[in-house]
mmCIF file of all heavy atoms in Angstrom:
data_model
loop_
_atom_site.group_PDB
_atom_site.id
_atom_site.type_symbol
_atom_site.label_atom_id
_atom_site.label_comp_id
_atom_site.label_asym_id
_atom_site.label_seq_id
_atom_site.Cartn_x
_atom_site.Cartn_y
_atom_site.Cartn_z
ATOM 1 N N PHE N 373 0.101 -1.861 23.323
ATOM 2 C CA PHE N 373 -0.347 -2.831 22.330
ATOM 3 C C PHE N 373 0.873 -3.651 21.918
ATOM 4 O O PHE N 373 1.936 -3.084 21.641
ATOM 5 C CB PHE N 373 -0.949 -2.139 21.115
ATOM 6 C CG PHE N 373 -2.308 -1.547 21.368
ATOM 7 C CD1 PHE N 373 -2.440 -0.316 21.988
ATOM 8 C CD2 PHE N 373 -3.459 -2.222 20.997
ATOM 9 C CE1 PHE N 373 -3.691 0.236 22.228
ATOM 10 C CE2 PHE N 373 -4.716 -1.677 21.231
ATOM 11 C CZ PHE N 373 -4.833 -0.449 21.850
ATOM 12 N N LEU N 374 0.718 -4.975 21.864
ATOM 13 C CA LEU N 374 1.860 -5.855 21.629
ATOM 14 C C LEU N 374 1.608 -6.768 20.436
ATOM 15 O O LEU N 374 0.517 -7.324 20.271
ATOM 16 C CB LEU N 374 2.145 -6.701 22.880
ATOM 17 C CG LEU N 374 2.466 -5.898 24.137
ATOM 18 C CD1 LEU N 374 1.361 -6.054 25.164
ATOM 19 C CD2 LEU N 374 3.794 -6.315 24.731
ATOM 20 N N TYR N 375 2.663 -6.927 19.644
ATOM 21 C CA TYR N 375 2.611 -7.687 18.393
ATOM 22 C C TYR N 375 3.579 -8.857 18.520
ATOM 23 O O TYR N 375 4.763 -8.671 18.806
ATOM 24 C CB TYR N 375 3.010 -6.752 17.255
ATOM 25 C CG TYR N 375 2.922 -7.299 15.862
ATOM 26 C CD1 TYR N 375 1.703 -7.378 15.197
ATOM 27 C CD2 TYR N 375 4.068 -7.700 15.183
ATOM 28 C CE1 TYR N 375 1.628 -7.845 13.892
ATOM 29 C CE2 TYR N 375 4.005 -8.166 13.878
ATOM 30 C CZ TYR N 375 2.782 -8.239 13.239
ATOM 31 O OH TYR N 375 2.710 -8.692 11.944
ATOM 32 N N GLN N 376 3.080 -10.070 18.319
ATOM 33 C CA GLN N 376 3.878 -11.269 18.568
ATOM 34 C C GLN N 376 4.982 -11.444 17.525
ATOM 35 O O GLN N 376 4.730 -11.372 16.321
ATOM 36 C CB GLN N 376 2.967 -12.498 18.578
ATOM 37 C CG GLN N 376 3.600 -13.744 19.165
ATOM 38 C CD GLN N 376 2.604 -14.887 19.270
ATOM 39 O OE1 GLN N 376 1.563 -14.884 18.619
ATOM 40 N NE2 GLN N 376 2.923 -15.867 20.094
ATOM 41 N N LEU N 377 6.203 -11.690 18.001
ATOM 42 C CA LEU N 377 7.362 -11.791 17.111
ATOM 43 C C LEU N 377 7.556 -13.234 16.640
ATOM 44 O O LEU N 377 8.518 -13.920 17.010
ATOM 45 C CB LEU N 377 8.616 -11.274 17.822
ATOM 46 C CG LEU N 377 8.637 -9.768 18.084
ATOM 47 C CD1 LEU N 377 9.877 -9.370 18.872
ATOM 48 C CD2 LEU N 377 8.567 -8.980 16.782
ATOM 49 N N VAL N 378 6.639 -13.677 15.811
ATOM 50 C CA VAL N 378 6.727 -14.983 15.159
ATOM 51 C C VAL N 378 6.229 -14.819 13.725
ATOM 52 O O VAL N 378 5.728 -13.757 13.352
ATOM 53 C CB VAL N 378 5.879 -16.055 15.892
ATOM 54 C CG1 VAL N 378 6.435 -16.343 17.280
ATOM 55 C CG2 VAL N 378 4.421 -15.625 15.976
ATOM 56 N N GLU N 379 6.357 -15.881 12.920
ATOM 57 C CA GLU N 379 5.798 -15.836 11.580
ATOM 58 C C GLU N 379 4.300 -15.545 11.670
ATOM 59 O O GLU N 379 3.627 -15.955 12.614
ATOM 60 C CB GLU N 379 6.009 -17.168 10.854
ATOM 61 C CG GLU N 379 7.460 -17.518 10.597
ATOM 62 C CD GLU N 379 8.096 -18.268 11.760
ATOM 63 O OE1 GLU N 379 7.481 -18.308 12.856
ATOM 64 O OE2 GLU N 379 9.205 -18.798 11.576
ATOM 65 N N ARG N 380 3.783 -14.856 10.680
ATOM 66 C CA ARG N 380 2.374 -14.471 10.730
ATOM 67 C C ARG N 380 1.459 -15.685 10.874
ATOM 68 O O ARG N 380 0.423 -15.619 11.543
ATOM 69 C CB ARG N 380 2.013 -13.667 9.483
ATOM 70 C CG ARG N 380 0.586 -13.155 9.495
ATOM 71 C CD ARG N 380 0.398 -11.958 8.605
ATOM 72 N NE ARG N 380 1.181 -10.819 9.051
ATOM 73 C CZ ARG N 380 0.976 -9.575 8.633
ATOM 74 N NH1 ARG N 380 0.013 -9.315 7.780
ATOM 75 N NH2 ARG N 380 1.733 -8.589 9.060
ATOM 76 N N SER N 381 1.841 -16.809 10.281
ATOM 77 C CA SER N 381 1.010 -18.012 10.363
ATOM 78 C C SER N 381 0.938 -18.564 11.784
ATOM 79 O O SER N 381 0.022 -19.318 12.118
ATOM 80 C CB SER N 381 1.558 -19.094 9.426
ATOM 81 O OG SER N 381 2.884 -19.459 9.792
ATOM 82 N N ARG N 382 1.898 -18.187 12.632
ATOM 83 C CA ARG N 382 1.924 -18.670 14.014
ATOM 84 C C ARG N 382 1.383 -17.645 15.003
ATOM 85 O O ARG N 382 1.261 -17.945 16.194
ATOM 86 C CB ARG N 382 3.357 -19.036 14.411
ATOM 87 C CG ARG N 382 3.922 -20.249 13.689
ATOM 88 C CD ARG N 382 5.424 -20.367 13.923
ATOM 89 N NE ARG N 382 5.773 -20.314 15.337
ATOM 90 C CZ ARG N 382 6.995 -20.034 15.792
ATOM 91 N NH1 ARG N 382 7.974 -19.763 14.940
ATOM 92 N NH2 ARG N 382 7.240 -20.012 17.088
ATOM 93 N N GLN N 383 1.065 -16.460 14.546
ATOM 94 C CA GLN N 383 0.594 -15.429 15.462
ATOM 95 C C GLN N 383 -0.768 -15.783 16.044
ATOM 96 O O GLN N 383 -1.659 -16.252 15.337
ATOM 97 C CB GLN N 383 0.504 -14.077 14.749
ATOM 98 C CG GLN N 383 1.849 -13.423 14.514
ATOM 99 C CD GLN N 383 1.713 -12.082 13.825
ATOM 100 O OE1 GLN N 383 0.724 -11.819 13.151
ATOM 101 N NE2 GLN N 383 2.709 -11.231 13.982
ATOM 102 N N ILE N 384 -0.904 -15.545 17.329
ATOM 103 C CA ILE N 384 -2.184 -15.754 17.995
ATOM 104 C C ILE N 384 -3.166 -14.687 17.518
ATOM 105 O O ILE N 384 -2.856 -13.496 17.528
ATOM 106 C CB ILE N 384 -2.012 -15.688 19.523
ATOM 107 C CG1 ILE N 384 -1.217 -16.905 20.009
ATOM 108 C CG2 ILE N 384 -3.356 -15.593 20.230
ATOM 109 C CD1 ILE N 384 -0.799 -16.820 21.462
ATOM 110 N N GLN N 385 -4.335 -15.141 17.100
ATOM 111 C CA GLN N 385 -5.390 -14.217 16.692
ATOM 112 C C GLN N 385 -6.707 -14.686 17.289
ATOM 113 O O GLN N 385 -7.025 -15.876 17.247
ATOM 114 C CB GLN N 385 -5.503 -14.142 15.171
ATOM 115 C CG GLN N 385 -4.254 -13.592 14.491
ATOM 116 C CD GLN N 385 -4.497 -13.231 13.046
ATOM 117 O OE1 GLN N 385 -5.485 -12.569 12.716
ATOM 118 N NE2 GLN N 385 -3.603 -13.652 12.171
ATOM 119 N N VAL N 386 -7.441 -13.759 17.835
ATOM 120 C CA VAL N 386 -8.733 -14.092 18.439
ATOM 121 C C VAL N 386 -9.596 -12.833 18.446
ATOM 122 O O VAL N 386 -9.095 -11.737 18.720
ATOM 123 C CB VAL N 386 -8.540 -14.657 19.870
ATOM 124 C CG1 VAL N 386 -7.881 -13.650 20.787
ATOM 125 C CG2 VAL N 386 -9.848 -15.140 20.460
ATOM 126 N N PRO N 387 -10.873 -12.943 18.101
ATOM 127 C CA PRO N 387 -11.716 -11.740 18.067
ATOM 128 C C PRO N 387 -12.013 -11.202 19.460
ATOM 129 O O PRO N 387 -11.903 -11.914 20.463
ATOM 130 C CB PRO N 387 -13.002 -12.230 17.386
ATOM 131 C CG PRO N 387 -13.026 -13.696 17.622
ATOM 132 C CD PRO N 387 -11.595 -14.142 17.637
ATOM 133 N N LYS N 388 -12.381 -9.943 19.496
ATOM 134 C CA LYS N 388 -12.814 -9.332 20.746
ATOM 135 C C LYS N 388 -14.207 -9.844 21.124
ATOM 136 O O LYS N 388 -14.879 -10.505 20.339
ATOM 137 C CB LYS N 388 -12.832 -7.807 20.602
ATOM 138 C CG LYS N 388 -11.467 -7.192 20.343
ATOM 139 C CD LYS N 388 -11.530 -5.676 20.324
ATOM 140 C CE LYS N 388 -12.227 -5.165 19.090
ATOM 141 N NZ LYS N 388 -12.174 -3.678 19.007
ATOM 142 N N TYR N 389 -14.624 -9.538 22.330
ATOM 143 C CA TYR N 389 -15.977 -9.888 22.765
ATOM 144 C C TYR N 389 -17.003 -9.316 21.778
ATOM 145 O O TYR N 389 -16.765 -8.285 21.134
ATOM 146 C CB TYR N 389 -16.257 -9.286 24.146
ATOM 147 C CG TYR N 389 -15.766 -10.094 25.326
ATOM 148 C CD1 TYR N 389 -14.524 -10.730 25.320
ATOM 149 C CD2 TYR N 389 -16.542 -10.201 26.475
ATOM 150 C CE1 TYR N 389 -14.077 -11.446 26.413
ATOM 151 C CE2 TYR N 389 -16.107 -10.913 27.579
ATOM 152 C CZ TYR N 389 -14.865 -11.536 27.548
ATOM 153 O OH TYR N 389 -14.435 -12.244 28.637
ATOM 154 N N LEU N 390 -18.157 -9.955 21.694
ATOM 155 C CA LEU N 390 -19.227 -9.438 20.848
ATOM 156 C C LEU N 390 -19.684 -8.067 21.328
ATOM 157 O O LEU N 390 -19.973 -7.170 20.530
ATOM 158 C CB LEU N 390 -20.419 -10.407 20.852
ATOM 159 C CG LEU N 390 -20.154 -11.802 20.272
ATOM 160 C CD1 LEU N 390 -21.386 -12.679 20.442
ATOM 161 C CD2 LEU N 390 -19.765 -11.714 18.802
ATOM 162 N N ARG N 391 -19.766 -7.896 22.636
ATOM 163 C CA ARG N 391 -20.064 -6.604 23.255
ATOM 164 C C ARG N 391 -19.077 -6.390 24.388
ATOM 165 O O ARG N 391 -18.782 -7.315 25.141
ATOM 166 C CB ARG N 391 -21.495 -6.568 23.808
ATOM 167 C CG ARG N 391 -22.576 -6.538 22.735
ATOM 168 C CD ARG N 391 -23.956 -6.368 23.357
ATOM 169 N NE ARG N 391 -24.334 -7.532 24.145
ATOM 170 C CZ ARG N 391 -24.787 -7.481 25.393
ATOM 171 N NH1 ARG N 391 -24.896 -6.308 26.012
ATOM 172 N NH2 ARG N 391 -25.121 -8.581 26.035
ATOM 173 N N PRO N 392 -18.552 -5.194 24.546
ATOM 174 C CA PRO N 392 -17.530 -4.966 25.573
ATOM 175 C C PRO N 392 -18.052 -5.211 26.986
ATOM 176 O O PRO N 392 -19.231 -5.015 27.284
ATOM 177 C CB PRO N 392 -17.160 -3.488 25.383
ATOM 178 C CG PRO N 392 -17.602 -3.147 24.006
ATOM 179 C CD PRO N 392 -18.801 -3.994 23.733
ATOM 180 N N ARG N 393 -17.135 -5.636 27.849
ATOM 181 C CA ARG N 393 -17.436 -5.721 29.279
ATOM 182 C C ARG N 393 -17.480 -4.312 29.862
ATOM 183 O O ARG N 393 -16.869 -3.391 29.329
ATOM 184 C CB ARG N 393 -16.341 -6.513 30.017
ATOM 185 C CG ARG N 393 -16.134 -7.930 29.551
ATOM 186 C CD ARG N 393 -14.950 -8.555 30.294
ATOM 187 N NE ARG N 393 -13.723 -7.783 30.096
ATOM 188 C CZ ARG N 393 -12.891 -7.941 29.067
ATOM 189 N NH1 ARG N 393 -13.148 -8.849 28.142
ATOM 190 N NH2 ARG N 393 -11.809 -7.199 28.961
ATOM 191 N N THR N 394 -18.128 -4.177 30.985
ATOM 192 C CA THR N 394 -18.072 -2.911 31.719
ATOM 193 C C THR N 394 -17.035 -2.972 32.828
ATOM 194 O O THR N 394 -16.887 -2.011 33.587
ATOM 195 C CB THR N 394 -19.444 -2.566 32.323
ATOM 196 O OG1 THR N 394 -19.882 -3.651 33.150
ATOM 197 C CG2 THR N 394 -20.468 -2.311 31.226
ATOM 198 N N ASP N 395 -16.305 -4.074 32.911
ATOM 199 C CA ASP N 395 -15.298 -4.219 33.957
ATOM 200 C C ASP N 395 -14.163 -5.102 33.453
ATOM 201 O O ASP N 395 -14.400 -6.122 32.788
ATOM 202 C CB ASP N 395 -15.914 -4.840 35.215
ATOM 203 C CG ASP N 395 -14.979 -4.786 36.421
ATOM 204 O OD1 ASP N 395 -14.039 -3.958 36.415
ATOM 205 O OD2 ASP N 395 -15.187 -5.567 37.368
ATOM 206 N N THR N 396 -12.948 -4.695 33.755
ATOM 207 C CA THR N 396 -11.744 -5.477 33.480
ATOM 208 C C THR N 396 -10.758 -5.172 34.603
ATOM 209 O O THR N 396 -10.477 -3.998 34.863
ATOM 210 C CB THR N 396 -11.094 -5.088 32.134
ATOM 211 O OG1 THR N 396 -12.067 -5.152 31.094
ATOM 212 C CG2 THR N 396 -9.925 -6.006 31.806
#
Side-chain angles (χ1 to χ4, degrees):
F373 287 81
L374 300 113
Y375 185 79
Q376 195 174 19
L377 291 176
V378 294
E379 296 88 348
R380 184 157 297 196
S381 61
R382 292 168 52 199
Q383 285 181 337
I384 291 171
Q385 297 193 47
V386 61
K388 296 185 289 185
Y389 276 41
L390 297 176
R391 289 186 293 130
R393 301 176 302 274
T394 56
D395 190 20
T396 307

